[in-house]
Amino acid sequence: MDFQVLVDSCGMAAAVLSVEELADGHCGEIHIVRANSKYKQIMGPKYYDDMIYYELLPKEPNFEDFCFRCAVKKIHLHAYVDTKAMGLWTDGTYLPLDESVDNGNIHYMFFFFEFTKGPESDRMSDVSLDVAPFVIQTCINLRGSENFYASMNTVIADIQKKTEAFCSSIIMIDKQKNKYAPLCAKFRNDEATMDDFMPFLTPDVVFSWEETLKLRDNIIVKDEYDMKELEKINPLWVKSLRGAGVQSLVLAPLAHGKKIFGVLFITNFNTDQLVENKEFIELTAFFLSSEIANNDMMEKLEYMSNVDTLTGVKNRNSMNARVDWHFSKEMQIPSPIGIVFADLNGLKRCNDTGGHEAGDQLLINAAELLKKHFGKNEIYRTGGDEFVVIVPNVDKESFEKNVEILRADSGDNSSVSLAIGSAWSENPDELRLSMHIADEAMYQDKNEYYRRHPEEARK
């Protein structure tokens, strides 16, 4: 086959690419074998026949995966993606060439494309019949509820179900203010929560994503080979992923213009449907970006930048927002409601004797102790050494029993000593009163601790 004749017959920028199939079944080098004049004009004077594609553009794992699926597995593919390396959107078509032109482990494909300056609706709507119903359902769910958070929770559950993922989540990020927080999440296992995985989402990990996404439309890891490739450019994140038991993932940016304000994060998904899932996730991320960016809840999301980065529990701003939303009936806490106030004993002495690193570790240990006993509930660090736990929909006997177990586990001789106060009420309107009662009881317990340990009494 005369490849030059083939590409010259195309009215769009076009090239024949060769794709190497490695012995382990993965993608090797991709060469631009021949290209037509429009392709050469776009690529400029650096182009020459049979060159490796990343001599012109940065390596792009998603592009390589599509080329491999097309040339080696003989699958016809189409993709409309944000090509960040060129600041343009690429509408590309991948056509496998007949097996008769293949040469051993070298396979060939025909690639042609057009650029657009930004996303165009008619091109984005050109989706496969398998994906279209799910995209339409996502749009309906996004616009079908007056409650922003209800919409987000519905959509994230749909994504989890469609991709058959262990977890799908949206994480909001404000790098300038050094803040990030999960907006919503859905797990395959209903016993799992984001609190279980926040220790792996450290600031260093979360704030590394933007750089890793710099020249990619998204990040996809489908197997251990891809994980090792990601490790070459972001070893800290991969260490975190391995610690959390992540074997496959998709990380899609949520952006307004060029500013990333969050990510759609999907782990341990069905990789057998990777192409279909990729198309669905990219479109969903686009609609989610628009919905979040244009929603008047953005101010509340800013207010909800709620994670205490030291301990991984929520912070005072988050608790204040939670209480406000409860009384505005925007997002009520199911009653009966139990409240626990806990103040860490001995933090000053620990700081004085062991330094602030020892004090920080004591705070982390206190948070872990509260998670041990109340891990499925809302735990907040509200001050230097103060914590609050809100326990929704709990009967009085179970709540009081759990509080007593916590007391026994955090007495004077424990590695973590807490002054504890608690209150329980069936009346949702008594939330603030319950918090006041628990706070007063905690201070009484604190004073009793000082009576037993006068050497630690606050000056």
Side-chain angles (χ1 to χ4, degrees):
M1 180 181 292
D2 190 327
F3 292 147
Q4 191 62 56
V5 172
L6 176 62
V7 294
D8 287 342
S9 68
C10 183
M12 299 166 60
V16 168
L17 308 180
S18 68
V19 181
E20 179 187 16
E21 181 183 11
L22 298 177
D24 62 3
H26 288 94
C27 183
E29 296 289 8
I30 298 174
H31 290 252
I32 308 170
V33 181
R34 295 291 184 274
N36 65 8
S37 59
K38 288 186 177 181
Y39 188 101
K40 294 175 183 178
Q41 183 178 6
I42 290 171
M43 295 305 170
K46 291 184 179 181
Y47 173 85
Y48 62 91
D49 288 344
D50 295 312
M51 70 185 301
I52 299 175
Y53 89 94
Y54 56 76
E55 293 181 68
L56 286 175
L57 296 168
K59 282 179 68 69
E60 220 298 327
N62 294 337
F63 172 73
E64 292 184 2
D65 181 69
F66 264 45
C67 289
F68 184 82
R69 290 172 185 274
C70 175
V72 178
K73 298 185 178 182
K74 304 303 179 185
I75 302 172
H76 172 198
L77 296 168
H78 170 260
Y80 184 50
V81 298
D82 183 3
T83 310
K84 294 184 177 179
M86 303 187 75
L88 298 165
W89 281 66
T90 303
D91 189 347
T93 299
Y94 303 69
L95 295 176
L97 293 182
D98 190 273
E99 293 182 6
S100 64
V101 303
D102 293 347
N103 182 18
N105 67 330
I106 303 299
H107 307 266
Y108 294 89
M109 56 168 285
F110 185 47
F111 175 63
F112 58 92
F113 66 91
E114 287 183 317
F115 285 139
T116 65
K117 292 183 178 180
E120 295 183 356
S121 58
D122 59 336
R123 296 176 189 267
M124 295 197 75
S125 62
D126 183 17
V127 298
S128 66
L129 293 177
D130 292 330
V131 170
F134 294 99
V135 175
I136 293 170
Q137 186 64 46
T138 296
C139 294
I140 292 172
N141 288 333
L142 282 173
R143 306 302 300 170
S145 172
E146 294 181 1
N147 187 309
F148 176 77
Y149 288 100
S151 296
M152 292 296 111
N153 284 319
T154 299
V155 169
I156 210 68
D158 288 346
I159 294 171
Q160 185 275 326
K161 183 178 180 180
K162 171 68 177 69
T163 59
E164 301 177 31
F166 172 73
C167 173
S168 62
S169 61
I170 294 174
I171 300 173
M172 306 301 295
I173 302 171
D174 188 333
K175 190 172 183 180
Q176 287 185 332
K177 295 186 178 180
N178 199 39
K179 293 180 179 180
Y180 61 95
L183 172 60
C184 54
K186 174 61 178 176
F187 289 82
R188 184 189 305 146
N189 177 359
D190 287 336
E191 294 182 0
T193 70
M194 280 302 293
D195 287 341
D196 299 327
F197 296 93
M198 289 308 294
F200 299 101
L201 296 177
T202 63
D204 287 344
V205 168
V206 172
F207 296 133
S208 74
W209 292 340
E210 185 171 359
E211 182 64 27
T212 307
L213 282 163
K214 195 171 184 179
L215 296 177
R216 304 188 187 186
D217 57 331
N218 54 54
I219 295 168
I220 298 176
V221 171
K222 62 184 180 297
D223 53 25
E224 179 60 21
Y225 179 88
D226 289 351
M227 190 72 78
K228 289 180 179 178
E229 289 297 305
L230 180 61
E231 191 171 24
K232 293 176 183 178
I233 59 175
N234 196 331
L236 179 68
W237 184 21
V238 170
K239 181 180 179 181
S240 164
L241 291 170
R242 294 190 191 282
V246 174
Q247 298 173 327
S248 63
L249 71 94
V250 179
L251 187 80
L254 303 176
H256 183 59
K258 294 184 178 181
K259 182 181 179 181
I260 295 176
F261 57 75
V263 295
L264 176 58
F265 194 10
I266 300 167
T267 63
N268 294 354
F269 65 101
N270 183 356
T271 57
D272 291 337
Q273 300 179 21
L274 187 142
V275 174
E276 182 180 318
N277 282 332
K278 179 179 184 292
E279 184 178 25
F280 168 68
I281 290 166
E282 287 172 345
L283 281 168
T284 301
F286 178 82
F287 292 125
L288 283 170
S289 296
S290 300
E291 187 68 15
I292 295 173
N294 293 330
N295 198 287
D296 60 3
M297 292 294 289
M298 276 300 291
E299 291 183 2
K300 288 187 178 179
L301 287 174
E302 185 69 26
Y303 191 46
M304 195 186 172
S305 295
N306 62 2
V307 173
D308 174 54
T309 55
L310 175 64
T311 63
V313 302
K314 299 175 183 179
N315 63 20
R316 175 179 286 277
N317 282 346
S318 177
M319 186 187 74
N320 291 339
R322 190 70 178 98
V323 172
D324 289 345
W325 293 336
H326 173 78
F327 283 105
S328 70
K329 302 190 184 321
E330 187 170 348
M331 192 166 58
Q332 281 194 295
I333 301 167
S335 58
I337 303 171
I339 301 294
V340 179
F341 272 61
D343 191 284
L344 181 59
N345 294 321
L347 179 61
K348 183 178 185 303
R349 180 182 59 184
C350 184
N351 283 329
D352 290 344
T353 58
H356 286 287
E357 285 189 5
D360 286 349
Q361 187 58 54
L362 187 60
L363 285 164
I364 293 169
N365 293 344
E368 291 302 313
L369 183 63
L370 291 171
K371 291 177 189 177
K372 174 184 174 183
H373 295 286
F374 297 99
K376 294 182 181 179
N377 301 289
E378 300 174 21
I379 304 173
Y380 304 87
R381 182 184 174 198
T382 59
D385 52 6
E386 296 177 356
F387 296 84
V388 173
V389 184
I390 299 177
V391 187
N393 197 25
V394 62
D395 64 86
K396 186 175 183 180
E397 183 180 356
S398 299
F399 174 70
E400 292 181 344
K401 181 179 179 180
N402 212 21
V403 171
E404 288 309 309
I405 294 173
L406 175 64
R407 287 186 190 279
D409 212 7
S410 60
D412 289 358
N413 296 323
S414 304
S415 58
V416 175
S417 175
L418 296 172
I420 297 169
S422 64
W424 178 92
S425 176
E426 292 181 292
N427 187 348
D429 294 334
E430 292 181 352
L431 176 61
R432 287 198 174 97
L433 175 61
S434 295
M435 296 179 78
H436 176 73
I437 292 171
D439 191 25
E440 290 293 317
M442 183 269 289
Y443 274 107
Q444 290 179 16
D445 197 26
K446 191 76 170 179
N447 289 334
E448 177 60 23
Y449 175 83
Y450 288 149
R451 188 188 65 77
R452 297 192 305 271
H453 302 277
E455 73 281 3
E456 292 189 25
R458 292 173 176 166
K459 304 298 183 183

